[in-house]
Amino acid sequence: MVKAEKITKMREIIKEWKSKGLTIGFVPTMGCLHEGHMSLVERAARENNRVVVSIFVNPIQFGPNEDYEKYPRSLSSDLEKCCSAGVHAVFCPNVNEMYPDKSLAFVNVESLDENLCGKTRPNHFRGVCTVVAKLFNIISPDRAYFGQKDAQQLAIVSKMTSDLNFDIEIISCPILREKDGLALSSRNSYLSSDERAAAVVIYSALESAKALLKRGERSAGNVKAAMKTEIEKQPLAAVDYVEVVDAKTLSPVEKITGTVLVAAAVYIGKTRLIDNFIFCLDEGGKQ
Ligand code: AMP
């Protein structure tokens, strides 16, 4: 496995692979790798000749009062995990390599960032799109793998890729969970043991919402109210948002038809965690 800290080195490796006609699968991450990340890596390894993982905590996607400084970093164990998983190259630039001067060019996907995390994290998706576009230009993969866990990110990156004609297939991968249902996240490492136990409320509220929808509830307001009530019963939890949005436009819906994304962002103590599920109805309103 090659470790590339410099863009020039990464580009040389890619050039050599491309000259041999090898396909490249790319998994962008911020590191502190867990089984969720590794499920993307495994899929990339199945579907491509070569796998590149990037590990970069991207400063421009964090707000001024967010956790950029304390975001967990564990490069040496991440490299070991990648090596054992058969990753061919890890791209792990430092901030100066990615942003040598004050950047003046940014990538912005309009409208899709107006709700959900985009509402409470202004400029977050501009930072995500900008770094993903830069990584796409450096790595030129055939396929890039993103988790459904960050559903809004997946929708926005997909739209950026098609609108800007990146010749890259975006692959959506399912959410990996702990045994009790908590979605795996690098930020779970911030939780105390009481908070870790409390955090399961996010998954149970989503499961209750799913059960309501399966029983025929079609009012988004009722679904959201039920989720809020359940989450607020947990003293360590505070709702950032619970939303039911159209899965394509990410605009809030009132009446549930077609395919919707039910999503939540919840503070467990000081740690903000997100989770979601997709619910589909056909044209006749059947599940
Ligand atoms: P991050 O390092 O948090 O930026 O995540 C890197 C990629 O891994 C993103 O595409 C995430 O959606 C994905 N990911 C994070 N957690 C999970 C999970 N629990 N299951 C599946 N994919 C995940």
Side-chain angles (χ1 to χ4, degrees):
M1 187 180 83
V2 184
K3 174 184 168 198
E5 292 174 326
K6 298 285 173 203
I7 295 168
T8 45
K9 181 166 176 189
M10 193 65 241
R11 282 197 202 276
E12 273 167 28
I13 297 163
I14 299 289
K15 204 168 160 190
E16 193 199 321
W17 290 344
K18 296 238 166 190
S19 73
K20 294 180 179 155
L22 299 171
T23 58
I24 299 166
F26 173 44
V27 182
T29 81
M30 297 205 296
C32 194
L33 301 180
H34 52 64
E35 287 305 312
H37 297 115
M38 299 321 285
S39 69
L40 274 55
V41 170
E42 280 157 24
R43 176 134 184 223
R46 282 201 302 277
E47 298 178 352
N48 302 276
N49 303 124
R50 293 289 179 269
V51 178
V52 180
V53 172
S54 66
I55 297 176
F56 180 62
V57 184
N58 175 36
I60 69 165
Q61 72 186 63
F62 288 79
N65 299 317
E66 293 183 354
D67 56 343
Y68 172 68
E69 296 296 341
K70 73 164 195 177
Y71 194 84
R73 288 157 171 92
S74 55
L75 187 60
S76 54
S77 86
D78 289 350
L79 290 170
E80 277 170 26
K81 285 179 191 168
C82 287
C83 196
S84 317
V87 170
H88 300 87
V90 172
F91 180 52
C92 48
N94 66 21
V95 173
N96 198 46
E97 181 71 4
M98 290 298 278
Y99 302 108
D101 313 306
K102 187 176 160 43
S103 302
L104 298 177
F106 297 92
V107 181
N108 207 29
V109 173
E110 293 178 6
S111 159
L112 293 179
D113 68 350
E114 283 170 8
N115 296 302
L116 307 172
C117 295
K119 209 172 194 169
T120 42
R121 302 188 71 189
N123 283 331
H124 170 66
F125 289 109
R126 180 178 89 143
V128 169
C129 286
T130 302
V131 81
V132 170
K134 284 162 76 75
L135 292 166
F136 280 1
N137 281 327
I138 295 162
I139 290 155
S140 318
D142 296 276
R143 298 180 190 83
Y145 296 80
F146 290 86
Q148 180 61 36
K149 153 113 184 333
D150 298 271
Q152 188 173 21
Q153 168 173 284
L154 175 59
I156 289 177
V157 166
S158 300
K159 185 70 176 140
M160 175 193 82
T161 304
S162 62
D163 281 6
L164 298 184
N165 302 97
F166 282 106
D167 191 11
I168 298 168
E169 191 184 348
I170 302 298
I171 311 279
S172 154
C173 301
I175 303 174
L176 251 79
R177 300 179 176 283
E178 300 280 6
K179 276 207 182 77
D180 64 359
L182 177 66
L184 294 179
S185 165
S186 307
R187 290 190 169 97
N188 291 350
S189 65
Y190 296 149
L191 302 172
S192 68
S193 61
D194 286 353
E195 288 169 345
R196 170 62 191 82
V200 76
V201 74
I202 307 168
Y203 177 67
S204 46
L206 286 166
E207 284 294 294
S208 305
K210 201 184 280 176
L212 272 179
L213 291 168
K214 285 189 173 162
R215 286 203 299 273
E217 178 63 65
R218 295 293 174 262
S219 153
N222 289 349
V223 172
K224 290 192 280 188
M227 286 176 68
K228 260 194 183 147
T229 307
E230 183 163 344
I231 294 166
E232 280 165 359
K233 272 192 204 144
Q234 168 50 251
L236 295 176
V239 171
D240 181 16
Y241 66 74
V242 292
E243 247 330 329
V244 182
V245 298
D246 179 280
K248 205 156 180 206
T249 64
L250 306 187
S251 302
V253 299
E254 281 179 19
K255 193 171 159 21
I256 292 157
T257 55
T259 303
V260 292
L261 172 74
V262 181
V266 178
Y267 283 95
I268 303 292
K270 288 190 172 132
T271 304
R272 183 178 174 281
L273 299 175
I274 57 171
D275 200 349
N276 68 81
F277 69 91
I278 285 183
F279 182 75
C280 302
L281 290 175
D282 66 15
E283 279 173 19
K286 291 215 172 65
Q287 294 172 35

